Amino acid sequence: MYNLLKGKRGIIFGALDSNSIAWKTAERVHEEGGQFVLTNAPVAMRMGQINELAEKTGSQIIPADATSLEDLQNLVEKSVEILGGKIDFVLHSIGMSINVRKGRHYTDQNYDWTQKGTDVSAMSFHKVMQVLYKQDAMNEWGSIVALSYMAAQRVFPDYNDMADNKAYLESIARSFGYFFGRDKKVRVNTISQSPTPTTAGSGVKGFDGFISYAEKMSPLGNATALDCANYTVTLFSDLTKRVTLQNLYNDGGFSNMGVSDAVMSAFVGDEE
């Protein structure tokens, strides 16, 4: 432990259970001396074990629907009050697709479901930042991070409309990040994480295949949820004060690979 976040205050969205990246991040932030409020949608909180995490990290929980401006305004106001000052870091770890959950193909979307997924997975990030910005709730040199995935740039057929949501999420990070940086000296980035066996990820058809393929492609292998938590801690720390508007790959090198020996061997066999 390096006390990288000693004295820093934040909000962590999306911790559901011990498999979730937000959960691992909360544990690591706590170990590095940061204090935070935990939040999730009321329905997600009933499904998960967030109370256990709150007790472990000495944190309070404020339920909030991240698509509701009213809920977010209440969340930010109460967080500043509970933590005793402005916010230094925020993790947006939220994603949901009803089309994926209900098995609707990308070429046969229910657009009401699509809209809901976009609102939860991407538009909520804009809403979170807009509330933080308007309430002047962030300290200078604060850090906001959202979690993304490589499907924002490349085709993963079964990732469905979540790919569009992640592309939109990354665009919001750049566009809002400009204004947050210019006006408040706050940095905004996304992390494009390896496929990770979380509750959300496991709902995608063929996700085990994504994981296996990425593991064979990546020279360092897949990044784990804990790896992502550690990377997020560095982005919350003062060591990355000039890093902003970036989509940062935490994927063992996958994003720069064309093909690997292991993948080639799986298709043509080892000729030696």
Side-chain angles (χ1 to χ4, degrees), residues 182-220:
R182 184 194 69 182
D183 300 338
K184 313 282 189 181
K185 292 290 185 288
V186 170
R187 55 204 195 269
V188 181
N189 297 288
T190 54
I191 296 175
S192 189
Q193 168 72 2
S194 295
T196 310
T198 61
T199 301
S202 60
V204 177
K205 179 185 172 187
F207 202 70
D208 288 347
F210 286 16
I211 294 172
S212 178
Y213 173 68
E215 179 72 25
K216 284 184 167 59
M217 278 286 286
S218 309
L220 297 181

Side-chain angles (χ1 to χ4, degrees), residues 65-180:
D65 176 353
T67 68
S68 163
L69 284 173
E70 185 179 345
D71 278 15
L72 291 172
Q73 287 159 359
N74 176 66
L75 168 66
V76 171
E77 286 170 11
K78 284 192 174 175
S79 296
V80 170
E81 184 182 320
I82 288 167
L83 297 169
K86 288 187 180 184
I87 303 302
D88 297 294
F89 61 85
V90 175
L91 175 65
H92 179 283
S93 180
I94 306 170
M96 184 276 294
S97 166
I98 305 174
N99 283 305
V100 168
R101 191 183 301 159
K102 294 188 178 288
R104 289 293 287 263
H105 195 268
Y106 186 74
T107 59
D108 182 35
Q109 292 192 29
N110 177 316
Y111 290 115
D112 289 337
W113 295 350
T114 305
Q115 188 66 52
K116 180 64 175 174
T118 300
D119 202 16
V120 171
S121 304
M123 187 72 78
S124 65
F125 191 40
H126 193 287
K127 290 177 180 178
V128 166
M129 288 197 284
Q130 181 168 294
V131 170
L132 290 163
Y133 182 91
K134 285 188 171 183
Q135 291 189 12
D136 194 25
M138 295 288 295
N139 276 319
E140 284 196 354
W141 304 111
S143 176
I144 301 171
V145 173
L147 300 185
S148 191
Y149 179 54
M150 166 62 77
Q153 282 83 33
R154 300 185 190 175
V155 178
F156 289 79
D158 290 324
Y159 205 60
N160 209 310
D161 56 333
M162 276 303 300
D164 301 333
N165 294 337
K166 292 301 188 185
Y168 187 22
L169 179 85
E170 292 177 14
S171 179
I172 288 169
R174 289 187 293 270
S175 297
F176 214 121
Y178 166 74
F179 296 105
F180 237 140

Side-chain angles (χ1 to χ4, degrees), residues 212-218 254 257-269:
S212 178
Y213 173 68
E215 179 72 25
K216 284 184 167 59
M217 278 286 286
S218 309
F254 177 87
M257 291 298 295
V259 73
S260 71
D261 293 336
V263 168
M264 287 293 287
S265 294
F267 281 100
V268 301

Side-chain angles (χ1 to χ4, degrees), residues 1-3 26-34 56 226 230:
M1 310 316 158
Y2 305 97
N3 274 331
E27 290 178 330
R28 287 294 294 117
V29 168
H30 175 65
E31 289 167 358
E32 293 295 341
K56 181 177 182 180
L226 180 58
N230 285 325

